[in-house]
Amino acid sequence: MGTVLKLKPVTGLAAALTALALTATACTGGNGGDGAVRGWEDCEENPNTCNSGERGEGGEITWVINSLPGSWNLISPEGGSVYTNQMLEGILPSVGRWAPDGETYEHDMDLLAEEPELIEEDPFTFQFKLRPEAVWNDGTPITADDFEVTWKMAASPEEGHCDGCRSRAPGEYDDVEKIEGTDDGKTVTVTLKDGKANAEWFGFLDGHKISGGLYPAHLAEEQGLDVGDPEELGEYFDWLNETMPEYSGGPYKIVDGDLENQVIKEPNENWYGEIQPTLDKIIMRFNPDEGTWIPALTNGEIHGANPAQYNDDIIEQVKAMDNVYFDIGPGASWEHIDFNTENEWLEDVELRRAIFTAIDVGEIAERNFGAGYPDYEIKTNFSFAPESPYHRDVMSGTGQGTGDTETAEKILTDAGYEIEDGTLTKDGEKVGPFRLRSTDTVVRNTSLQIIQSHLSDIGVETNIEVTDDLGEMLGKQDYDIVQFGWSGSPFFIATPFQQWHSSSGSNFGKYENEKVDELVEKVLEAKTLDEAAELTNQAQEVLVEDAYVLPIMDEPAYAFVTEGYVNIRDNRQAQKRAIYNMGEWGTVAQ
């Protein structure tokens, strides 16, 4: 990967970002609370290098991704999931990545010729210099054009760069005034608009962020499209969304696959990096059916996974397998319940407050995690973990998440609702029923049943419907009440805009509040992380008052892999998890 740097020297703006994100220390947990890990014992002391070793030539691995990706384009709302990000690892080039310790940012010195540089602060300008050897797998150089086209697709349509692009999180990209390249395109200069700043500039278009890395500009021309024309750039966006990438600027390329079953990756013969891939084939299988994993692992049909959701039954079975490395610890993904605010009933904030008050998140957490991970904590801040200096408890005192049926009923009756014979009505009309949705996992199925029971206590009828395509369900706003998870990382300033701004494609429930919009826009403009964190907390306080998101907890994360592989380790700081360094994976040298 190349040179590394610690956060404080890089930004000079605040203490390390680790404490600011949904903090999680890699490989710190044990097996179900007994303190034991197997195979990854040294990860606690050496999270960035554990399970390192000399690789043998050849071999293959089948890795499970536990839901469908949604699309081939990570920028789009339907493709904007951890599953798409994992699917595309090793394909999209990126300026860098977070190491598992959450403190070390590793710039990609395969792509970059030297460390990025902050040129000036007014206007805020920074620069990346690319290696001449950095090319796409068809031999086309990776240049400033790729930075520019990715930025334009990731920005809001209102910016005028692209007609038809549907960015799920345009926030920080809307702040860019221009991207310029030298004649050879190998020096990339990014200038922000007047008055804008970005404390996380060093990770612009990083693989942890919305784009997942860089997309190739030159392929648009092969499709007969001019990326300088907003309408044609929109057509290119759709093409990327719908077309399996045969392009690659990373160590692997996709040679076969679809969005329903699996993708198959083989080494990119034009990979320009120092560390060459050794595995002949990586199969990434999309399998949300958790019940099939253990038989497949036992039979050698799969070799590893880092599931996005916790499953106590799977964990206990994996722990009993002697030939499988296993670990569990606090993760950076957090579960929450959201509303579709465009539902005719759920437009009413009083109904939303009552529903959230009736739901007992403590029961959800205990039923799902109490036996296998008793150290769980209920989440009281959407952006900052309790260990963060920026953590502020925004939930306690609101009554939301307490399961207080009596208070919930009072909220409803004060707002003109009536509960008769177990049915909620207003002005003589029955409220609901509501579609209560999530992906089909053991944890979420248990959660939905608990929620359904709690809401029936206040006369709210719900119908549970599960899906195996989270991205499509969210992107099409195909729910009334939904539970899903957000993945965190040490980057945080773009997240409030992505999740809560009225213009964001990832604000799936179409929540609108002018005050929240104003605050999250200021987060992006903040010159210090202290200021950005304070604004984030202020936005959360408004959000909680509007009862749009009910946090549950930071979900424990676990991973496993069959013995015989090296350089595979979990990275709870990244959406990509253990897949973050796929190009370095290999079989143990004989």
Side-chain angles (χ1 to χ4, degrees):
M1 175 58 62
T3 60
V4 301
L5 51 100
K6 295 291 184 178
L7 290 193
K8 192 170 183 179
V10 175
T11 64
L13 295 174
L17 279 171
T18 313
L20 309 183
L22 308 174
T23 53
T25 303
C27 302
T28 58
N31 290 349
D34 61 10
V37 290
R38 186 173 62 253
W40 285 322
E41 292 89 348
D42 60 332
C43 286
E44 183 173 357
E45 295 297 324
N46 304 293
N48 298 344
T49 58
C50 59
N51 194 35
S52 294
E54 183 178 349
R55 300 173 298 163
E57 289 297 326
E60 63 181 62
I61 189 170
T62 299
W63 195 267
V64 171
I65 296 178
N66 68 294
S67 190
L68 302 182
S71 85
W72 300 103
N73 182 352
L74 191 61
I75 300 174
S76 70
E78 60 272 23
S81 72
V82 59
Y83 317 114
T84 307
N85 206 349
Q86 291 181 3
M87 174 185 69
L88 294 175
E89 170 59 15
I91 305 300
L92 305 179
S94 170
V95 302
R97 67 189 185 192
W98 288 103
D101 65 5
E103 299 179 4
T104 307
Y105 189 82
E106 302 174 337
H107 277 118
D108 188 344
M109 304 313 292
D110 292 323
L111 175 67
L112 303 178
E114 57 187 63
E115 293 288 342
E117 183 180 0
L118 181 62
I119 304 299
E120 57 182 296
E121 293 189 359
D122 188 19
F124 204 89
T125 306
F126 48 96
Q127 193 172 84
F128 300 96
K129 293 186 177 180
L130 311 180
R131 291 179 62 221
E133 298 84 356
V135 297
W136 296 99
N137 58 315
D138 62 3
T140 302
I142 297 172
T143 68
D145 290 343
D146 305 313
F147 280 76
E148 184 176 15
V149 75
T150 305
W151 154 56
K152 287 183 175 180
M153 290 191 297
S156 299
E158 290 76 13
E159 291 295 301
H161 306 307
C162 179
D163 293 340
C165 288
R166 294 168 290 104
S167 174
R168 63 187 174 90
E172 63 180 308
Y173 306 109
D174 286 356
D175 289 345
V176 175
E177 176 67 30
K178 59 183 176 180
I179 293 181
E180 299 173 297
T182 50
D183 289 344
D184 63 358
K186 289 295 185 177
T187 297
V188 185
T189 303
V190 183
T191 304
L192 303 190
K193 296 175 181 176
D194 288 343
K196 301 293 184 179
N198 187 338
E200 297 168 354
W201 64 270
F202 58 89
F204 185 72
L205 296 179
D206 169 280
H208 289 275
K209 295 193 173 185
I210 172 180
S211 67
L214 300 173
Y215 287 84
H218 70 282
L219 292 184
E221 184 177 352
E222 294 184 10
Q223 306 305 312
L225 300 172
D226 177 5
V227 295
D229 182 306
E231 184 173 338
E232 295 190 24
L233 181 57
E235 293 181 39
Y236 186 48
F237 179 95
D238 289 337
W239 182 85
L240 290 170
N241 211 40
E242 300 163 0
T243 307
M244 186 191 82
E246 297 181 3
Y247 55 85
S248 175
Y252 281 91
K253 62 181 181 180
I254 296 175
V255 297
D256 193 17
D258 56 54
L259 296 173
E260 302 295 326
N261 299 289
Q262 65 183 27
V263 296
I264 299 174
K265 298 179 181 179
E266 294 179 358
N268 171 9
E269 62 275 9
N270 279 329
W271 168 237
Y272 46 86
E274 179 181 0
I275 298 177
Q276 293 294 311
T278 57
L279 291 176
D280 295 325
K281 184 182 295 184
I282 296 176
I283 301 170
M284 309 197 79
R285 187 163 295 163
F286 314 131
N287 183 4
D289 187 357
E290 296 168 305
T292 66
W293 295 352
I294 297 301
L297 188 63
T298 302
N299 296 333
E301 298 172 21
I302 66 172
H303 303 101
N306 44 236
Q309 286 81 43
Y310 177 99
N311 184 315
D312 188 60
D313 184 52
I314 299 296
I315 288 170
E316 291 304 314
Q317 292 184 72
V318 172
K319 285 164 57 177
M321 302 178 73
D322 292 333
N323 65 332
V324 178
Y325 287 3
F326 170 80
D327 188 31
I328 185 171
S333 177
W334 59 285
E335 289 289 298
H336 54 98
I337 303 163
D338 289 15
F339 290 117
N340 177 353
T341 64
E342 293 188 334
N343 176 282
E344 62 175 327
W345 291 108
L346 296 174
E347 291 177 339
D348 182 7
V349 66
E350 297 302 328
L351 176 59
R352 300 201 303 263
R353 287 175 185 155
I355 288 175
F356 277 176
T357 301
I359 295 172
D360 187 345
V361 296
E363 182 181 348
I364 293 172
E366 178 62 28
R367 286 268 299 275
N368 279 314
F369 308 111
Y373 196 76
D375 296 332
Y376 70 82
E377 291 186 56
I378 300 302
K379 195 169 184 64
T380 58
N381 187 289
F382 305 157
S383 301
F384 308 121
E387 298 80 9
S388 167
Y390 296 133
H391 178 271
R392 180 185 302 167
D393 185 345
V394 299
M395 297 302 302
S396 297
T398 67
Q400 296 179 31
T402 62
D404 187 342
T405 302
E406 184 177 342
T407 298
E409 290 177 345
K410 186 176 188 308
I411 293 171
L412 291 171
T413 55
D414 287 350
Y417 292 86
E418 296 181 356
I419 304 174
E420 295 182 358
D421 299 324
T423 299
L424 184 67
T425 63
K426 188 171 186 180
D427 298 329
E429 184 177 356
K430 179 183 176 182
V431 176
F434 299 116
R435 300 168 67 216
L436 176 60
R437 306 203 68 189
S438 190
T439 49
D440 190 9
T441 69
V442 171
V443 166
R444 287 176 176 166
N445 284 335
T446 299
S447 181
L448 295 188
Q449 291 168 20
I450 293 171
I451 294 168
Q452 185 179 58
S453 175
H454 291 163
L455 297 189
S456 69
D457 291 340
I458 59 170
V460 174
E461 180 185 350
T462 56
N463 297 318
I464 293 175
E465 298 179 16
V466 296
T467 180
D468 61 0
D469 193 338
L470 178 67
E472 180 180 40
M473 180 188 71
L474 294 174
K476 291 184 176 180
Q477 206 175 343
D478 190 16
Y479 62 88
D480 297 318
I481 307 172
V482 65
Q483 180 178 326
F484 66 102
W486 284 118
S487 295
S489 88
F491 289 125
F492 85 93
I493 65 171
T495 302
F497 190 106
Q498 175 189 354
Q499 296 175 1
W500 313 323
H501 196 278
S502 60
S503 71
S504 172
S506 292
N507 176 7
F508 300 110
K510 306 303 182 186
Y511 168 73
E512 291 188 32
N513 184 297
E514 291 182 1
K515 181 63 174 177
V516 171
D517 282 357
E518 177 185 348
L519 287 166
V520 300
E521 288 167 9
K522 287 182 178 179
V523 171
L524 295 173
E525 300 169 6
K527 292 187 178 296
T528 69
L529 294 173
D530 286 353
E531 181 186 357
E534 173 59 28
L535 291 164
T536 298
N537 280 328
Q538 290 178 23
Q540 289 187 59
E541 290 170 343
V542 179
L543 188 79
V544 170
E545 189 68 20
D546 284 346
Y548 176 52
V549 180
L550 180 64
I552 302 174
M553 60 175 287
D554 291 335
E555 191 170 50
Y558 73 99
F560 59 87
V561 67
T562 306
E563 288 179 344
Y565 294 98
V566 294
N567 299 330
I568 299 179
R569 64 188 72 90
D570 204 359
N571 182 350
R572 298 192 187 97
Q573 303 306 311
Q575 284 192 10
K576 296 175 182 178
R577 297 282 301 285
I579 301 171
Y580 84 105
N581 66 334
M582 177 182 288
E584 301 165 27
W585 287 9
T587 56
V588 175
Q590 302 297 319

